[in-house]
């Protein structure tokens, strides 16, 4: 599946083309900007005009799903261009884009089906050919990404694209249990997955904080475990159809034996302690766990899995298996006795026993079991799939034992990492890089994870997008596709384009800021936006520890920390500009002027924001960050002044600025001020005097 | 219905409070900002905290609609504050907001029902009382507008509000025939109507360009007359229920005998010329008209009205009746003969005959007929209602003859007028001001009109909102409520708030700009936004005449003229600042500094926009406007420099600048550069020298 040498050559060529930034190319056509980058791209000459006469026809294999795909494609093309287009397929002889699909894909989409396609665009027409509808779907998305405004109308460049995925399992997990995620929000995110060619939606459906699926066999699960916030079986059917239409498998996860409080609200008899239980409102790892020594547990799960195995047609069935803290097991003498009696050593042994009992209940219903790292046990059938939150080494170890795996370590979207950090994580890195070719095929791909402690329908899209596109590219594109600058340029273009899918990652930002500000003058609102553009939420798992009160599922997510993107584009651009300036030994007048303008805006911003801070408690909360931003501006300008005058800063001055910068880098209002390290570079350059470039 | 003297006293007090702008009040609480302004407001002391414990209970009369209203209210409150709230009504004894509704309103909402309410908010709770659910619905909207971010959380000010509408008919007409408007777009606009207390949705359903209702009696109407874009009867039931839930009547309009090409595609035998007919694609007034001399016409309309009278429960039924150009009648000898034979004088007489035949067909089905000015005939029953596109004088003339009327002249949203111009139009102005009290009661209110030549789901909201709120206030609030500055401040606050209803008047603007720009640097995109913020589409009916090619229903609406709001807030604020500066005899240093900053931005904007103009045909189209904006900046700065130096500009210089400004005020790319007149004031001030204040 990894591209061969000749293909690699093409890829590098493509990267070369794509790395021309829109800036460098300002007077000409925009460069093509595909994400994920295809296996092979050959640029032709000329451009295909997309106007109101544009049409699509198809030959070869057809099915209603393909007709719907064409209609959706035309609707989407119409939205992104603003050109009214006839919404139905045309006769292929007269169509501008002709699609040829060779044969059907599997009725129930399978892991590893052929997803390849070839797309040829010339100045007079376009042709998309694919062995199966899965490839056709991907090719249509590529075409949509090719169409851009140009001097002569909306056009697509002449190009020949040969494309296929590197990994067969490319997924996004959404936790709709901690916070319920309404169906329409899931749907627009599935549209997003289609756009970046991901093919698995992993649906995390049960947690301590909620059980989200209607069960007809065990109705107390959703009736008592969900606060009324659950998906009916009809809605689930609907979502699965929706995903299938987009070439996306739906893998359900019912997390056992831990993460299971919500099950026990209705069925306390399955737990390892008597109860009663209430839906958990806090975040963390909790004690309740299924009782693996109770035969009723297996009888219940057998029946429940049977019901769910019918509801979810995919061959893979996720049983969680992560993070059992063992406290209920420790406290239950009957369970400890069972461990001894069965020679299980300890709680890990007990969980292993549980998994071995579980696996037949899954396979009995025709499914392969998926679980987090913890489920791995050499004695389990090789049929199971390990989802690794621990990393590529764990994945490699599993592969060596003959188990298949998918990587999620490094792909947790909720941790707030920059896209480039996710992008650098390769499923075949670390120990996995040294696997044999056969073992490598056991590394199926990966899944990004959107855990839901701090998301709601307003901000979930901005937590997933656009960063998830970087992970999608990692899993689809050739391994050599690694340039973060190219990735960022294309990701930002895609972020704008994806709004036409109805995703709200950009729109809600302003609305949330408006709510934070309340009635405000344009100048005040701009000041809030300026601050918002350079802060990010605290990273990793520090949000709980930095909270003023313990957060719960009822905590409002209406603060600046909830409204800002997880990665600041402004701060990144500023950092790049500082690097450019320093790389030129501080002799780059245009860069210096831009730095000065930006730093001056920051220095003066707090004064403009203060009236708002007097009126809104949500602005008052970020007042310290705003003052810090003013200080950053001041320090940066002072450093620039020294550099401009050719003066060398004193050690005292340097020490003082660095101490201030250290204070500024501490989180306030759970926010980090991202440009601080770039300012530090300027300070160090000023202190280095004439040798300012050395500081870079 | 007009407030008495004591109430008027209160109103002035309220206006006084509201006219404190948020700016003046920057260090304190935001002022209350209600729109429409209630009949009476008394400010109390303290504020009611709205947090996650907020709840609503009700006493007195209840019905499912009220329960749904409370749930919708809680959902909306939750959205606008970001605070998760229990979605169901609580026990009244423990509720923070207690609602008491006295008795039911009519099953089918009627014109003139009691819509009053009293809302009392204290620091510890709130009480809403209303005679009928209609008043309750209005009071809930008022409460939502009271809640704002404050230094201590989200709060509502202590206040006692006694409120009732000035006019009983306060409507918005949407033309969903020229461009089809999807149901969800209508629904979000009906949410908007509820927010501003309008109570009629007038649904313009048939036109030359489309027949938009499913008819089971005459299916060729929608099958052949709509391109498949029509509302099913189920959807119409659904929309009527949706509107009723929000205290809004739905008045359908089927426009006859003109504006009727789409009817004749399926039923050419009803027209005054043989046909065949096709759906019209162009805009304007067209020849096809029903044949008033053909008995089949009346038989058909009788049956059709019978079907529609059942589908639309409202007592009023609109038959259009406007703009028959008479060409088909002139050309048909049989019709001309009929005119002579019946002593009808001319085509007007024929149309009068038609209306007299029509009215019994409407009243037979239990309805009162509504028609545009043209239907007025003294011999028609006094039961009919005239909708005046001609003006208050026409309305007054009708009232004197005993006819009831509603005003739409002055309320056409598609003409692109500033909100203040609509706001100044009073249904009881002109000749109507001199009507007797009894005659005045025949002026039922008014309706804003959204004609649909240049709207689609992307930009319709921005064409209706926020300006429609000014018309809603005119029709609800006491006649004395006329201060445009207060209106603008409150309208801008409401515009932000209304986004939480799902209206897209702000969100789509940026997305459309993004499409126009294509991939762009932040600086380039800001340059486009800056230009977009100071232009408005050409006004009134000049869009057709300034078009480069004749527009049709297939013309893309993706240009800057389609993306910008119809009223530029930036230009308005700039104009106010110029006035302030000149009123201070040009001695206002902060104002001068702000003017300089704005003018400098404009002067430098075109250089930043030019790279985009090279890449995007949609930017290139507005390149001339961009250059003009740079010139405006230059001229303004030159004038400011002269003023600052105390120099008097020469007559030559003045003449030259005025000539340039005259050129700049000509539409380009169908756009007007709105700050030009304010710059002209600066030029005149500079030419007036030391007496610069005289120029104001």
């Amino acid at each position: 599946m990894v591209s061969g040498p000749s293909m690699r050559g093409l890829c590098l060529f493509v990267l070369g083309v794509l790395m021309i930034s829109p800036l460098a190319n300002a007077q000409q056509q925009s460069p093509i900007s595909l994400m994920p980058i295809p296996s092979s791209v050959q640029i032709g000459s000329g451009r295909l005009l997309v106007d109101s006469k544009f049409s699509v026809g198809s030959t070869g294999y057809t099915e209603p799903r393909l007709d719907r795909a064409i209609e959706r494609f035309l609707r989407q093309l119409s939205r992104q261009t603003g050109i009214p287009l006839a919404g139905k397929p045309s006769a292929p002889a007269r169509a501008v884009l002709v699609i040829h699909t060779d044969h059907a894909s599997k009725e129930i989409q399978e892991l590893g089906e052929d997803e390849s396609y070839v797309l040829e665009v010339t100045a007079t027409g376009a042709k998309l050919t694919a062995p199966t509808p899965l490839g056709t779907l991907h090719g249509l998305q590529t075409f949509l990404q090719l169409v851009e405004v140009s001097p002569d109308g909306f056009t697509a460049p002449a190009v020949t694209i040969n494309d296929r995925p590197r990994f067969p399992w490319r997924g996004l997990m959404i936790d709709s249990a901690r916070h319920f995620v309404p169906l329409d929000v899931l749907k627009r995110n599935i549209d997003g997955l289609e756009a970046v060619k991901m093919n698995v939606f992993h649906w995390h459906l049960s947690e301590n904080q909620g059980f989200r699926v209607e069960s007809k066999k065990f109705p107390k699960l959703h009736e008592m475990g969900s606060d009324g916030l659950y998906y009916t079986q009809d809605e689930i059917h609907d979502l699965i159809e929706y995903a299938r239409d987009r070439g996306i498998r739906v893998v359900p996860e019912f997390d056992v034996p831990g993460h299971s409080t919500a099950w026990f609200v209705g069925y306390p008899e399955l737990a390892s302690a008597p109860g009663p239980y209430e839906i958990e409102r806090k975040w963390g790892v909790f004690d309740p766990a299924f009782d693996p020594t109770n035969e009723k547990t297996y009888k219940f799960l057998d029946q429940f899995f049977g019901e769910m195995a019918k509801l979810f047609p995919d061959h893979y069935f996720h049983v969680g298996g992560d993070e059992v803290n063992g406290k209920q097991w420790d406290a239950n003498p009957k369970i400890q006795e069972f461990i001894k009696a069965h020679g299980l050593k300890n709680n890990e042994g007990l969980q292993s026993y549980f998994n071995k009992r579980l696996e037949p209940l899954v396979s009995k219903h025709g499914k392969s079991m998926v679980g987090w790292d913890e489920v791995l046990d050499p004695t389990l059938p090789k049929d199971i799939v390990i989802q690794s939150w621990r990393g590529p080494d764990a994945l490699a170890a599993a592969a060596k034992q003959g188990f298949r795996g998918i990587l999620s370590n490094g792909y947790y979207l909720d941790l707030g990492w920059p896209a480039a950090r996710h992008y650098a994580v390769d499923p075949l890195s670390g120990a996995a890089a040294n696997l044999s070719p056969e073992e490598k095929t056991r590394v199926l791909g990966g899944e990004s994870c959107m855990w839901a402690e701090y998301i709601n329908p307003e901000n979930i899209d901005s937590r997933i997008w656009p960063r998830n596109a970087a992970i999608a590219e990692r899993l689809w594109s050739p391994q050599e596709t690694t340039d973060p600058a190219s990735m960022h340029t294309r990701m930002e273009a895609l972020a704008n384009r994806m709004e036409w899918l109805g995703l709200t990652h950009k729109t809600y930002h302003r609305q949330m800021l408006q709510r934070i500000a309340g009635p405000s003058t344009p100048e005040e609102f701009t000041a809030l936006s300026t601050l918002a553009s350079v802060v990010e939420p605290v990273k990793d798992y520090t949000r709980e520890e930095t909270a003023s009160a313990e957060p719960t599922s009822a905590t409002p997510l209406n603060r600046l920390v909830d409204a800002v993107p997880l990665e600041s584009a402004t701060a990144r651009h500023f950092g790049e500009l500082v690097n450019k300036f320093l790389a030129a030994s501080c002799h780059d007048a245009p860069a210096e002027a831009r730095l000065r303008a930006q730093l001056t805006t920051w220095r003066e911003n707090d004064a403009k924001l203060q009236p708002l801070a007097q009126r809104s408690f949500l602005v008052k909360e970020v007042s310290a960050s705003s003052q810090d931003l003013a200080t950053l501006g001041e320090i940066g300008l002072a450093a620039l002044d020294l550099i401009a005058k050719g003066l060398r800063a004193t050690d005292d001055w340097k020490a003082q600025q660095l101490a201030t910068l250290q204070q500024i880098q501490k989180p306030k209002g759970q926010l980090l001020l991202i440009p601080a390290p770039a300012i530090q570079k300027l300070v160090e350059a000023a202190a280095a005097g004439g040798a300012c470039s050395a500081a870079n």
Side-chain angles (χ1 to χ4, degrees), chain A residues 271-330:
Chain A
S272 303
Y277 292 88
E278 286 188 358
I279 295 174
E280 183 58 57
R281 305 294 170 189
K282 297 179 178 173
W283 311 129
V285 175
F286 297 94
D287 303 348
F290 277 84
D291 182 351
T293 72
N294 183 349
E295 285 306 312
K296 276 189 196 160
T297 292
Y298 303 106
K299 201 177 154 203
F300 179 95
L301 290 175
D302 182 20
Q303 291 186 289
F304 176 73
F305 286 176
E307 183 184 9
M308 293 300 124
K310 284 204 191 72
L311 182 59
F312 292 93
D314 197 78
H315 180 66
Y316 293 85
F317 193 92
H318 205 305
V319 297
D322 55 321
E323 297 185 318
V324 182
N325 73 8
K327 287 192 188 166
Q328 280 198 346
W329 293 349
D330 290 340

Side-chain angles (χ1 to χ4, degrees), chain A residues 50-128:
Chain A
V50 174
D51 62 11
S52 55
K53 292 180 208 80
F54 186 86
S55 56
V56 182
S58 62
T59 64
Y61 172 76
T62 61
E63 59 177 29
R65 174 168 63 160
L66 281 172
D67 292 337
R68 289 193 297 271
I70 293 173
E71 285 172 30
R72 200 168 65 246
F73 167 83
L74 286 167
R75 218 162 37 233
Q76 190 56 22
L77 188 60
S78 186
R79 290 198 75 189
Q80 78 178 46
T81 60
I83 300 167
L85 293 169
K88 299 277 173 190
S90 308
R94 281 174 301 150
V96 178
L97 168 62
V98 178
I99 294 169
H100 180 87
T101 309
D102 198 53
H103 57 80
S105 61
K106 297 289 167 63
E107 183 58 30
I108 295 166
Q109 191 175 327
E110 288 182 9
L111 175 68
E113 286 194 72
D114 191 332
E115 300 180 79
S116 69
Y117 68 93
V118 176
L119 176 63
E120 294 174 80
V121 181
T122 70
T124 55
K127 199 175 154 191
L128 168 63

